[in-house]
Amino acid sequence: MNQVPANFKPVPYDPFYEAPEPDEAQTIQEIIDTMAEIQRKTFQAQKHAIRSVHAKGLALLKGEFQVYDNLSDYLTQGLFAKPGTYPIVARLSTQPGDVLPDSVSTPRGISFKVFGVAGEHLPGAGEPDTQDFILVNSPIFPQQLKDFLSGLKRFDLLTNKAEGFKEGLSKTLRAVGEVVEKVTGSDTGVMPGMGGQLAVHPLGDTYYSQAAFLYGPYMAKFSLTPVSANLTALKDQPIDIDSDDYALRLLLQDFFATQGGEWEFGVQLSTDIDQMPVEDASVEWSQDESPYLTVGKLTITPQSAWSDERAAVVDDKMAFSPWQGLLAHRPLGAIQRARNTTYQASAQFRRNLYGTSENPQDVK
């Protein structure tokens, strides 16, 4: 368990902390329309319906999620109110809504669905006993909602076009990103989002929720940190992403064929609403003031990380959304509100073609 600072005191949630912009509904509708257009274009090109974000799957995995015992009182909330072990399905992916060659290097994400979760679920949640977590390898969402819409529209114009340009730009941005990281010792999240994700092993990364959630009466962000020795050894390990369009998928297939891994799940509670706001996901919460506190562990055993049969269930029929889960973990802030309806629309597009599957036993 991570050590907390002296006088550590989480701030209780207050509805006042969420303040939508007057034209937020219009902005979200434009995001929905643009994502739908991206999905339509990729479907026309590939004759297969894919997600409007994080379209390219890298690995599809089964595992377990363990909630630890003897947690501090402020940590025993929602899913984490009591110890237990749950089956999960996880999906590693890259960010864009287009299936690009891996040489176009973009942020990586991991989503996982926890099954058998009892308790009051969010209104409109289509699954009565699951909790989804969606995390990306950057602690912040680097754009405001309108900036995200502008970027999405630019991406829409390039969807299914100019792959050579994207690859060349990505290589340039990766080189710039390496210089920025060496000089500053950190990554702002801007370069990766533009195609400058550094070419390092995705299993060495820590993944973050970026945006905030209710955590019972409090507010929190989440993290997933590799802790088994074989995973920590992969931190910042350079990899070749230029030799094959599916280099990352092949890399993960090779890894999970013989190895598994363990990740700790962390909760970072807001202790100062001015310094750790919920409305603006581009603000990084200080880990000195409020460290990520370990509340559980995700375990993946050796297995086949990809097959057509598994993809037909997880990629085509499963939907992952931060709004699929317990009321005690309701998403907070502008980016999260946008994810609600946009993810529903994206999932419905695939659901109309392929149906649904929420049973972990369906994943072979």
Side-chain angles (χ1 to χ4, degrees), residues 39-348:
Q39 273 192 304
R40 184 188 64 79
K41 287 180 179 178
T42 55
F43 179 69
Q44 287 179 339
Q46 302 176 30
K47 307 306 178 187
H48 195 94
I50 57 177
R51 289 164 167 80
S52 55
V53 290
H54 286 274
K56 189 174 186 178
L58 308 179
L60 309 173
L61 303 159
K62 297 177 71 173
E64 288 187 342
F65 186 70
Q66 179 187 359
V67 175
Y68 288 155
D69 199 357
N70 298 319
L71 299 177
S72 301
D73 289 344
Y74 46 76
L75 293 175
T76 54
Q77 310 293 337
L79 174 61
F80 307 93
K82 59 182 180 180
T85 301
Y86 303 85
I88 66 104
V89 169
R91 179 180 186 266
L92 280 85
S93 59
T94 47
Q95 186 180 53
D98 197 359
V99 178
L100 301 171
D102 286 345
S103 54
V104 182
S105 188
T106 58
R108 296 85 175 263
I110 180 169
S111 301
F112 66 97
K113 186 182 295 288
V114 185
F115 295 89
V117 177
E120 184 179 2
H121 278 60
L122 287 157
E127 301 167 9
D129 64 348
T130 64
Q131 174 70 52
D132 291 2
F133 294 102
I134 297 177
L135 306 104
V136 182
N137 62 333
S138 169
I140 63 167
F141 192 95
Q143 299 165 310
Q144 301 286 349
L145 205 57
K146 290 182 179 179
D147 295 330
F148 174 71
L149 173 60
S150 297
L152 194 66
K153 288 182 175 179
R154 289 193 296 271
F155 184 82
D156 178 33
L157 293 174
L158 291 173
T159 299
N160 296 338
K161 298 177 183 177
E163 283 193 358
F165 168 76
K166 294 175 189 175
E167 290 179 86
L169 177 62
S170 177
K171 290 177 182 179
T172 300
L173 291 173
R174 275 150 50 192
V176 173
E178 289 174 359
V179 173
V180 170
E181 187 166 355
K182 287 177 182 177
V183 171
T184 66
S186 64
D187 177 14
T188 64
V190 175
M191 290 296 180
M194 296 171 62
Q197 168 68 51
L198 299 184
V200 296
H201 205 296
L203 296 182
D205 288 343
T206 295
Y207 291 82
Y208 303 88
S209 67
Q210 298 186 321
F213 293 77
L214 282 181
Y215 194 77
Y218 308 115
M219 301 160 288
K221 293 185 178 184
F222 304 134
S223 68
L224 194 67
T225 304
V227 291
S228 56
N230 61 335
L231 296 180
T232 58
L234 299 176
K235 181 175 173 55
D236 298 327
Q237 182 184 98
I239 57 173
D240 176 12
I241 59 173
D242 296 318
S243 60
D244 191 286
D245 288 353
Y246 289 86
L248 291 172
R249 186 180 296 176
L250 295 172
L251 180 74
L252 297 182
Q253 281 181 289
D254 287 345
F255 178 91
F256 285 109
T258 59
Q259 300 182 67
E262 293 183 349
W263 293 257
E264 285 186 341
F265 190 85
V267 171
Q268 184 186 32
L269 297 168
S270 176
T271 57
D272 182 332
I273 195 61
D274 293 324
Q275 301 300 317
M276 304 177 193
V278 299
E279 193 60 46
D280 185 357
S282 69
V283 176
E284 184 171 0
W285 294 6
S286 169
Q287 294 189 46
D288 291 332
E289 297 297 325
S290 179
Y292 282 94
L293 305 174
T294 303
V295 295
K297 179 176 68 175
L298 187 150
T299 302
I300 303 290
T301 57
Q303 60 190 274
S304 172
W306 192 272
S307 68
D308 290 342
E309 294 78 11
R310 189 170 285 193
V313 176
V314 181
D315 256 20
D316 291 345
K317 295 183 178 181
M318 275 192 183
F320 298 85
S321 169
W323 288 88
Q324 178 56 61
L326 295 171
L327 185 62
H329 302 312
R330 178 174 67 82
L332 303 173
I335 293 298
Q336 300 278 46
R337 291 190 294 273
R339 284 171 168 168
N340 189 6
T341 46
T342 56
Y343 281 32
Q344 286 182 28
S346 174
Q348 188 62 48

